[in-house]
Each structure stands twice: as C-alpha cells, then as structure tokens.
Amino acid sequence: MLAILQKLEEKRAQAKLGGGQARIDAQHKKGRLTARERIDVLLDQGSFEEMDTYVEHNCIDFGMQDQVFPGDGVVTGSGTINGRLVFVFSQDFTVFGGSLSERHAQKICKIMDMAMKVGAPVIGLNDSGGARIQEGVASLAGYAEVFQRNVMASGVIPQISVIMGPCAGGAVYSPAMTDFIFMVKDSSYMFVTGPDVVKTVTNEVVTQEELGGAVTHTTKSGVADVAFENDIEALLAVRDFFDFLPLSNRQDVPERPTADAWSREESSLDTLIPDNANKPYDMKELIAKVVDEGDFFEVQPTHAPNIITCFARIEGRTIGIVANQPLALAGVLDINSSKKAGRFVRFCDAFDIPIITFVDVPGFLPGTAQEHNGIIKHGAKLLFAYAEATVPKITVITRKAYGGAYDVMSSKHLRGDLNYAWPTAEIAVMGAKGAVEIIFRKDIGDKEKIADRTAEYEARFANPFVAASKGFIDEVIMPHSTRRRIAMGLRKLRNKQLENPWKKHDNIPL
C-alpha cells in the first residue's frame, strides 16, 4: 500500500510540473502564469477538483512515444467561484506548446459533457500553439469534437473563453462560438492565418499584435469583449463577471444582497439632458445612477462605443442593459453597434436575463460605406433579436428616438413590456429640420417660413405625448424616479410567460 501511495504522489508531482521547471520559468519570463496557477487565481481557494490528471497522448509517430507528460497539455476539472459551480479547462503551454492532441481534446469534451449534464458554465483558459502536427488528422478531429459541443452548449450553459497566449488557425473557432471572449494585452493573440502566411499571400507586413492582438480584437474586429493588462487582472475580472450569470438556462439569475433601496430617487438625473438637443451627455452616468451601488460590467467597451452593453443589478438581481451613447457618433446605430447589441440581446434572452434599454438614437448612420457593407442586414440583426426576445423588456426613452431606429430599440411594437419616456423625449420620424425641409420643400427659400414651420414641428413632435396618446408609451416619467419605475416593473414582470411559435429554429439575418 505504501508503495502505491508513493507512486501516486510521484505521479501527481510529475503532473504538476507540466513540461518541467525550465518551461515553467520560460512561461513566467513572458509575464504569464502556468495553467495551474491560473486555475488557482480563478477559483475559490481549495475548491478545484481535477479530472484526467494522468491522461497521456497515444501518438507513436515521430518519436512521440518517448515524450509523454501526464495530463497531455491541458488541466481540466471543476470548482467554485464565490461558491457557485463551474467547469474549467486550462491549456498548459509548457507541454508541447499547449498543442491540442486527440486525448487533450477528449479531456476538454469530457468536462463540457459533464457541464451540460449538471447545468453549469464552462470557462476555457486558452494558451495553445494549435493542432499537434505529429497527430495529423486526429488532432483536427479533436477540434471538431470540441466545436460540436460548443454549439450544443450554446444557449444552454454560459461559455467564457479567456485567451491568455497564442490561439491560431482552427483553434480560434472554439472561442468564437462561446458567449464571451476576454484577452490579455501584449500576451494573447487570435488569428486564422499568421503574419508569415499573410505576407506570403497578400504581401502585407503585419505584426502578431497588429493582426490579432487584444487591442485589435476589442476595438476593430469586435471578436473579443474586453482586454486586460495581465493574467491576474483578467482572471479576477472573470470572477466578477461570473457573478452576473445564471448557471444555466434552467436556473434563475443570481441574486445578491444589496443595501441600495429599490425606491431610491436620483434628483441629478432631472438635469442630465442638456437644453441644447445637439449637445451630448454621458449615458454611463445614467446607468451608474440607476443600478445597484453604481456597479455594472460593460461588455465590449472599446468596440462600437456608440452603443453600451453591460450587466448590472436591480434589487440584487442581474439585468442586461443596452443603451445608446450620445458621446460617440451621437448614439447612432451603425453596422458594428447593431451586431454588438444584437448578440448581447440574444444572450440575455437565452438565459432569461431581463433587458433594460435606454434610448437616445437619432437614426441609422448614413453613407456608402454603411450601405455597401450591409447596414440593412446588420441593422436587422438587432431588430430581430429584440423582436424574438421573450424576457422582460423595459425601455426608457431619454431624448431622441427617430425613424426606424425608434422601432428597433425595443419599442412597444416589438413586444416591449413597459415603455417609458422622460419629458425630454422626442419621438418622431426624423428631426424637425429634416422633416420640415421635406414636407415644405417649396418654402425652402423663405427662411422665416421655414423657421416657423420648424418651431411648429418641434411643438408637435419634440415631446413624448403624441406617442403616449397612441399608447406607444406607457407613461411619461420623471428622470429622478427611473430606478424606482424599473424596479417596480421588474417585480411585475418576474413571472412573465411568453412563447414564440414552435419552430426548429429561426433564420436570423446573419
């Protein structure tokens, strides 16, 4: 018995060393943690239970039978974050560069299958050189097995990917199919083809960072959600973020105690909207003053900043917020903001997270670039997402709600449950100046007449009462009472039941 116990301890020690001390030191020199150190930071202390510690690869080509490491380049198992169950895999760059083999993939698939059975999220810590070339097509098959599970788990359990090193080639498609992607600046990158291939094929000279670094993907492409300074910051942020998410689509949203009174009034909101309709204000100020303790977690803060998507809490319960941001492009809807918000709305709907929408939108962004790149199709994604969503939907129009953008932003006509407007709301087909120049085209030369017509149009439509008189707005509310109204609305809607017609699945305009 003593001998077998000693062997167990030796095996465990060998597994914990990964690819050996020299490779661990090399990982640390790059400013990166090892696979196991990352799990220790992410999970509650002492909660991690490892699975498949002793799994080894089965490759006998190219001398691989002489290079065997227990665990085969990925640490898998389960643990808790603030006491709530989560399954984790963490790729170990010290073992064959974290490359994915057949057995490595089987380990990931096993914990994903387990997560689906019990209804718990999966967090993947990615740090891999890609497919293990020595295994050839078996490695590619392993990727496809993981992809299939990503798709089956989508909308059933939350899936979070944290890119903490290289992620290239086919490896990028697993994170791409998860719900959220976090990256580490100057340390992680994602691309389908690397700089060398790009140079060969297109003659473009580009660095790894420019091609697929954290800043590139969180600003330009929108592939990733948030970029962090280092491994520790990223992992601690994931812990905070995890607290907003339900464990599965069968579980209710998490609830945490709060001392912030649901009926709290915020008098400063009464003066948030500037007197000049063309002057911007910060929509984040409104969000911070309405939600519990001013705390919210923004998703994709640097991509399409003209729309804000974030998670917050009201009465301790998670909500999703979509809000136009007047500080960026006057809050217009464009291709990027429509895609960003559309995906966020669909995530909230999949996991029964109520959606609060703050509207100040002058319309869709004009221009050939937008039209030629498909603003019609991309704008329809957001429209489609709001229209199919069956979760509680509360909308507050703070200022402008013009044209088709008014319809798209969770209007009453898209089954909005409670649609409120501030007294400063302007709900119309378009701004007064543009409308008058179309309606009274023949009077354009007469400045006085046009000024009178503009004033007349503003008096008629630059307020929320026309829409309210038709029942499109449920109530015109005072800005200071916004939190109270939303809290009461969420209470009312907690047992909302609404089902879409039976279908295999919808056909969202992709």
Side-chain angles (χ1 to χ4, degrees):
M1 181 66 177
L2 215 57
I4 197 79
L5 286 176
Q6 191 176 345
K7 190 175 182 185
L8 173 63
E9 287 305 317
E10 285 170 6
K11 278 276 190 188
R12 279 185 175 167
Q14 191 185 351
K16 282 179 181 173
L17 263 182
Q21 194 58 49
R23 288 180 180 169
I24 289 172
D25 293 342
Q27 183 83 339
H28 287 161
K29 273 183 192 169
K30 294 177 195 164
R32 298 173 184 164
L33 300 178
T34 65
R36 291 175 187 279
E37 288 168 344
R38 287 167 176 162
I39 288 174
D40 287 343
V41 174
L42 177 66
L43 300 180
D44 296 339
Q45 192 173 356
S47 71
F48 181 58
E49 287 194 292
E50 190 170 350
M51 291 172 68
D52 290 336
T53 311
Y54 313 111
V55 163
E56 298 171 352
H57 70 73
N58 56 350
C59 181
I60 54 172
D61 297 315
F62 307 105
M64 286 293 285
Q65 68 274 13
D66 301 322
Q67 301 179 63
V68 177
F69 299 89
D72 201 29
V74 64
V75 182
T76 59
S78 64
T80 60
I81 294 177
N82 293 325
R84 299 168 73 227
L85 178 64
V86 63
F87 287 81
V88 180
F89 68 86
S90 181
Q91 292 180 313
D92 187 351
F93 196 78
T94 69
V95 177
F96 303 120
S99 59
L100 185 131
S101 67
E102 183 179 16
R103 291 280 166 82
H104 179 128
Q106 284 170 359
K107 286 181 67 173
I108 294 172
C109 290
K110 186 189 279 191
I111 64 146
M112 291 184 77
D113 290 342
M114 181 76 79
M116 285 285 280
K117 280 182 203 168
V118 303
V122 173
I123 298 175
L125 309 180
N126 296 69
D127 188 357
S128 167
R132 194 169 300 169
I133 296 167
Q134 295 91 330
E135 293 201 16
V137 75
S139 174
L140 299 180
Y143 271 126
E145 292 285 349
V146 176
F147 299 160
Q148 182 65 52
R149 282 162 178 80
N150 287 135
V151 174
M152 293 297 101
S154 182
V156 179
I157 52 173
Q159 300 177 81
I160 301 170
S161 297
V162 191
I163 315 300
M164 311 196 81
C167 186
V172 298
Y173 287 110
S174 176
M177 288 187 287
T178 61
D179 299 304
F180 299 98
I181 300 175
F182 297 146
M183 294 184 75
V184 181
K185 291 178 188 174
D186 304 317
S187 178
S188 65
Y189 52 85
M190 298 174 76
F191 39 67
V192 177
T193 51
D196 294 341
V197 176
V198 169
K199 187 173 188 299
T200 303
V201 176
T202 69
N203 283 325
E204 292 173 279
V205 177
V206 65
T207 65
Q208 281 186 343
E209 192 61 33
E210 290 166 338
L211 183 63
V215 173
T216 297
H217 282 314
T218 52
T219 54
K220 292 179 185 172
S221 72
V223 165
D225 293 286
V226 193
F228 298 97
E229 295 298 329
N230 53 56
D231 282 12
I232 300 272
E233 191 181 303
L235 293 163
L236 292 178
V238 173
R239 282 182 62 89
D240 288 342
F241 182 65
F242 182 83
D243 279 349
F244 287 99
L245 307 181
L247 294 179
S248 75
N249 64 355
R250 302 193 299 270
Q251 301 273 335
D252 203 358
V253 294
E255 193 169 347
R256 63 156 54 168
T258 178
D260 199 349
W262 68 272
S263 57
R264 170 174 55 81
E265 293 190 348
E266 192 63 56
S267 57
S268 62
L269 291 179
D270 290 341
T271 53
L272 179 67
I273 306 294
D275 292 334
N276 182 345
N278 296 318
K279 196 174 174 186
Y281 60 94
D282 190 355
M283 188 63 87
K284 289 182 191 177
E285 185 182 338
L286 166 58
I287 294 169
K289 286 177 175 176
V290 166
V291 303
D292 288 356
E293 287 134 25
D295 178 39
F296 61 93
F297 192 108
E298 190 173 357
V299 177
Q300 292 194 308
T302 56
H303 177 68
N306 42 318
I307 205 157
I308 299 164
T309 51
C310 64
F311 293 105
R313 296 180 184 90
I314 295 278
E315 292 198 89
R317 295 170 64 87
T318 301
I319 56 168
I321 296 175
V322 178
N324 306 111
Q325 173 59 293
L327 286 180
L329 289 174
V332 296
L333 288 175
D334 61 358
I335 289 171
N336 286 339
S337 62
S338 297
K339 290 194 293 183
K340 168 181 166 178
R343 181 164 167 75
F344 182 81
V345 167
R346 281 170 71 84
F347 175 85
C348 290
D349 188 49
F351 290 99
D352 272 336
I353 299 171
I355 300 165
I356 312 299
T357 308
F358 293 114
V359 183
D360 186 350
V361 63
F364 283 91
L365 184 64
T368 53
Q370 288 289 308
E371 295 293 353
H372 294 173
N373 285 301
I375 181 63
I376 296 171
K377 205 100 182 206
H378 295 298
K381 290 175 183 174
L382 180 54
L383 170 60
F384 197 108
Y386 267 126
E388 75 164 347
T390 59
V391 292
K393 293 185 285 192
I394 300 176
T395 304
V396 180
I397 300 173
T398 61
R399 188 164 63 175
K400 297 172 183 172
Y402 289 165
Y406 152 72
D407 283 332
V408 169
M409 292 298 294
S410 198
S411 63
K412 189 55 115 179
H413 326 289
L414 302 184
R415 303 189 298 187
D417 295 300
L418 292 168
N419 290 65
Y420 297 128
W422 284 6
T424 45
E426 304 171 22
I427 304 161
V429 175
M430 61 174 66
K433 185 174 180 292
V436 165
E437 286 174 358
I438 291 169
I439 299 168
F440 303 104
R441 197 179 288 112
K442 63 181 188 299
D443 296 331
I444 279 178
D446 189 333
K447 286 186 180 175
E448 199 174 312
K449 223 173 193 179
I450 288 292
D452 290 343
R453 298 293 194 188
T454 302
E456 183 189 338
Y457 189 92
E458 282 175 346
R460 178 90 174 92
F461 292 110
N463 63 68
F465 301 110
V466 174
S469 72
K470 298 177 187 297
F472 302 156
I473 295 296
D474 295 308
E475 179 65 283
V476 179
I477 64 171
M478 288 302 292
H480 65 251
S481 67
T482 303
R483 172 178 168 84
R484 181 171 60 84
R485 293 285 191 157
I486 291 173
M488 286 169 62
L490 290 170
R491 286 182 186 182
K492 272 185 249 185
L493 296 166
R494 196 166 290 180
N495 295 319
K496 174 186 174 182
Q497 289 189 320
L498 176 65
E499 286 188 10
N500 291 326
W502 185 91
K503 58 185 93 170
K504 186 176 179 184
H505 59 74
D506 52 48
N507 187 20
I508 187 168
L510 293 173

